[in-house]
Amino acid sequence: MPLHEPRPDRPVLCVDMGGVFFTYSFLSALTAWAESADVDADQLRERWKIDGPFDAFERGEITPADYLDHLRRLLGLQDLSEEQVAAGWNAIYGTVDTDLVQLLGRAEVRARFYRIVGVSNTNTLHADFWRELYREQLPVLDAVHCSHEIGATKPGAAFFDHVAADHGVPRASLVLADDIAEVTTAARGLGLRAHHYQGAADLAAYLDAL
């Protein structure tokens, strides 16, 4: 924001993407891989884990090819091509919360906030996929901030400081809606206002009480 422009006097609403804006389940990826490899999905479920390479991928520290190769070795999917592993990786996505989209589009809600943005711990393969999958609903957001582009994940201070700086507001001017209670608790500890998302009606009530 140019130095001559005044600092916005309204907060920025940060809406988590996966689990709030749209649904997802890694079980769908395991099912897709099992079908492609003709193996038992329960075996893949036992091997699957969110590990160091997963976190590094969400921070943009390793390439898609490196992470897919890690998945192939972790899950024993050496017989699958990179394209098949990537297809399973992107099979996790479900439906958009249309009630939320309608809420975020209301004039009275938009007037309450300087900007309404999406925030996501994600990786380049996933983000590229869901940006296309949900292209009709995403314009309700003024911007989307992804961890792999920032180089940090929420609920770390570096993630929220990046978002705040991008919109010319202090960290305390961010309001977060997230489906993970641990994330909202940590965000409050950093000075944000945060709401544990359990549906659009519940969020509407929270925003009315701000």
Side-chain angles (χ1 to χ4, degrees), residues 83-144:
E83 290 74 19
Q84 288 174 308
V85 179
W89 182 241
N90 285 330
I92 67 175
Y93 295 105
T95 58
V96 167
D97 187 333
T98 55
D99 290 338
L100 174 66
V101 172
Q102 292 174 3
L103 173 66
L104 299 181
R106 291 179 188 169
E108 63 271 23
V109 173
R110 302 206 68 85
R112 194 174 299 151
F113 295 97
Y114 172 53
R115 285 176 183 155
I116 298 176
V117 304
V119 292
S120 181
N121 286 347
T122 190
N123 56 80
T124 184
L125 287 177
H126 277 166
D128 289 350
F129 186 82
W130 54 250
R131 284 180 189 274
E132 175 62 22
L133 183 64
Y134 306 121
R135 64 187 181 279
E136 294 183 3
Q137 295 84 14
L138 285 173
V140 75
L141 302 172
D142 297 308
V144 178

Side-chain angles (χ1 to χ4, degrees), residues 10-27:
R10 291 173 293 162
V12 172
L13 177 61
C14 300
V15 179
D16 180 41
M17 300 303 292
V20 176
F21 197 87
F22 50 73
T23 62
Y24 73 98
S25 173
F26 279 105
L27 292 178

Side-chain angles (χ1 to χ4, degrees), residues 17-75:
M17 300 303 292
V20 176
F21 197 87
F22 50 73
T23 62
Y24 73 98
S25 173
F26 279 105
L27 292 178
S28 297
L30 297 175
T31 299
W33 288 322
E35 292 176 353
S36 296
D38 193 24
V39 298
D40 188 342
D42 288 336
Q43 293 179 4
L44 299 184
R45 196 172 296 114
E46 292 174 358
R47 298 170 186 166
W48 162 255
K49 59 183 176 180
I50 294 177
D51 53 12
F54 179 98
D55 292 336
F57 195 30
E58 289 203 330
R59 294 191 298 267
E61 296 171 355
I62 61 177
T63 67
D66 286 341
Y67 185 69
L68 292 177
D69 187 57
H70 167 72
L71 277 180
R72 190 182 289 110
R73 287 182 278 106
L74 175 68
L75 300 175

